[in-house]
Amino acid sequence: MGNQFEEMRQRLHHIGNLSNYIEDLFTKLPGNLISEKQRKKMMKIMMDDEDLQNLLDGLKNPRPPKFVLVGRTGVGKSSLINAISGRYLAEVSDVEIGTKEAKRFAYEADGHTYFEVIDTRGIGESETFDTNAEDALKNVIQSFEPDAVLFLQKAAERAHIDKDIQITKRLMKKAAEGLPLIGVITQVDELNPSRIKEPDSYPPEKIRLIAEKTEQLKRIFAQEGMEPAAILPVSSYLEWTEQDGGSPNIAFDGRYGIEELIDFLEDSLDIRAAIHLSLSIRLNTITERIALRFTKVFSALAGTVALSPLIATDIAVLLALQSILLMIIAFLSGRELDFKTAREVIVSLGGIGATGFTLRMIAQQGSKFANLIVPGAGSAISASIASGGTYAIGKAAMAYFLRGADESELKEIVKQAQKEFETNE
């Protein structure tokens, strides 16, 4: 991996250590901004927040995703791994796992491990796959501690699907209960007309067949009483050019549905595996993805802070919280902010001008007067406004620091972010 990868890895690791220097950050807050009591309250809320701590742990300790691959011979397991990574990876197996029904691999390139997998090696085809073999495979899978099970089925295959799903059902129950099961329909490029490999040129007939195959697999899973987390059709079709002394490069890219699969994996995997996946194959977009994760976490934190029923005490606390969010997003872009600059940027981003920012804060505090009539009612309204405002500030900061958006764009981004938050609330 190159210098950009190492620089980003170090940057994310530094942010992941936020818990170690959060107290130092708070000591740098201007003394007249929040009281010592508020300072301790906010630190406790942040240190006790499980989502934030999981995110920080993922940034400090990323690790390769671990998959169990279930599928018959020729289903395209290695091709799928290469298509996900966008590289021709070496399949390295140096671990004896104690069963002939499966093999453990690491997929590597340039000294970097992208994935670790257990390949069940066509268990549906095995004449010797009995209860004893199932138990041996169960022990292997449990000790492997996978992040997900990928059930691979060739698009053009019609036979044995129900048998393979029955075996997968037993494996999930014995060894992988609670893990995401992802159905992957491979080699959709082979559906008629199979000569057309360019996804943008797939004719309506091919798209229709892909949809039918997806529904067929979903239906068979349902008949067996199973509901996968997702069923995704893909093509891993790539043509490679040989390089003297180096890894092959992609000469023709016929991948279909791979980005959707990666999106789903990033959202479904253990946070440590998801961040490693982004670092390895989506380096150019990882800053926005991490910034969005922080924005969502801090929006929830803002709602927690705002639930305090004390009138007019948490504006400064929210401002400090939002300042830390901005400092993190700025650092992701390679810049550093102090609290004073962060507060000034919040005023600009939050309402695109001091008036908008002030009015929103007045609205946030004004709702608290409802507590004088109906205890608790005002806090709930206030929490929603605080969370939505923080989410909008985070999205605007992402556009400002990571994409270089100008003020005219930010106004629309803030509006859209507020609508997005209200829709998803």
Side-chain angles (χ1 to χ4, degrees), residues 16 73 79-80 89 115 131 135 190 196 206 238 252 269 283 302 324 326 373 377 413 424:
T73 304
S79 296
L80 178 65
L89 301 179
F115 307 97
T131 302
D135 289 340
E190 291 296 321
I196 299 177
K206 198 179 188 89
L238 292 167
F252 175 81
L269 300 181
L283 189 57
I324 293 174
L326 252 71
I373 302 171
I413 289 167
N424 296 328

Side-chain angles (χ1 to χ4, degrees), residues 241-255:
T241 57
E242 295 294 332
Q243 299 291 312
D244 293 335
S247 300
N249 289 330
I250 296 174
F252 175 81
D253 191 342
R255 287 177 290 183

Side-chain angles (χ1 to χ4, degrees), residues 140-394:
V140 167
I141 292 174
Q142 288 180 335
S143 64
F144 182 58
E145 298 183 342
D147 296 298
V149 176
L150 272 57
F151 176 90
L152 277 58
Q153 175 66 44
K154 286 171 67 173
E157 180 68 53
R158 293 180 174 85
H160 313 298
I161 301 176
D162 53 349
K163 178 184 177 182
D164 293 348
I165 288 178
Q166 289 165 7
I167 292 174
T168 302
K169 182 178 181 178
R170 295 201 299 270
L171 273 182
M172 292 294 295
K173 187 174 182 179
K174 281 190 172 185
E177 201 159 20
L179 288 179
L181 170 64
I182 304 167
V184 183
I185 302 173
T186 64
Q187 302 176 19
V188 299
D189 54 287
E190 291 296 321
L191 296 173
N192 289 330
S194 60
R195 67 183 182 278
I196 299 177
K197 302 296 186 184
E198 173 56 60
D200 289 342
S201 300
Y202 282 2
E205 177 188 357
K206 198 179 188 89
I207 297 297
R208 179 181 59 79
L209 286 173
I210 292 173
E212 286 180 3
K213 292 294 181 179
T214 304
E215 287 303 312
Q216 178 192 50
L217 188 57
K218 186 183 299 184
R219 187 168 57 252
I220 298 175
F221 267 115
Q223 289 169 356
E224 298 298 332
M226 298 187 73
E227 186 177 356
I231 296 178
L232 301 169
V234 304
S235 169
S236 304
Y237 187 82
L238 292 167
E239 294 178 3
W240 303 88
T241 57
E242 295 294 332
Q243 299 291 312
D244 293 335
S247 300
N249 289 330
I250 296 174
F252 175 81
D253 191 342
R255 287 177 290 183
Y256 173 91
I258 296 297
E259 289 299 314
E260 290 79 2
L261 174 58
I262 296 172
D263 287 342
F264 189 84
L265 291 174
E266 286 187 331
D267 291 338
S268 305
L269 300 181
D270 178 282
I271 185 67
R272 296 166 297 172
I275 289 173
H276 183 94
L277 183 67
S278 293
L279 263 174
S280 300
I281 66 178
R282 283 181 161 173
L283 189 57
N284 292 335
T285 61
I286 189 173
T287 52
E288 289 217 19
R289 290 179 171 275
I290 298 299
L292 181 58
R293 286 181 183 270
F294 271 109
T295 295
K296 290 178 178 178
V297 168
F298 272 69
S299 297
L301 284 171
T304 301
V305 168
L307 283 171
S308 165
L310 301 176
I311 295 174
T313 58
D314 60 305
I315 283 181
V317 178
L318 285 173
L319 184 57
L321 188 72
Q322 292 167 352
S323 296
I324 293 174
L325 174 60
L326 252 71
M327 293 166 75
I328 290 172
I329 294 175
F331 189 77
L332 282 169
S333 74
R335 286 171 276 188
E336 295 197 34
L337 297 181
D338 57 23
F339 270 109
K340 181 176 182 297
T341 306
R343 292 204 316 274
E344 291 171 354
V345 175
I346 286 174
V347 172
S348 174
L349 296 184
I352 316 302
T355 302
F357 179 79
T358 303
L359 287 175
R360 191 176 70 246
M361 282 302 189
I362 289 173
Q364 187 267 333
Q365 286 301 315
S367 68
K368 293 203 161 190
F369 286 97
N371 278 334
L372 298 178
I373 302 171
V374 184
S379 291
I381 300 170
S382 175
S384 177
I385 294 172
S387 295
T390 302
Y391 183 80
I393 286 172

Side-chain angles (χ1 to χ4, degrees), residues 43-61:
M43 282 182 58
K44 186 177 188 310
I45 288 174
M46 293 184 69
M47 297 300 288
D48 290 348
D49 187 81
E50 185 176 353
D51 289 337
L52 177 59
Q53 294 307 317
N54 286 341
L55 177 53
L56 297 178
D57 180 53
L59 293 171
K60 284 189 297 184
N61 303 300

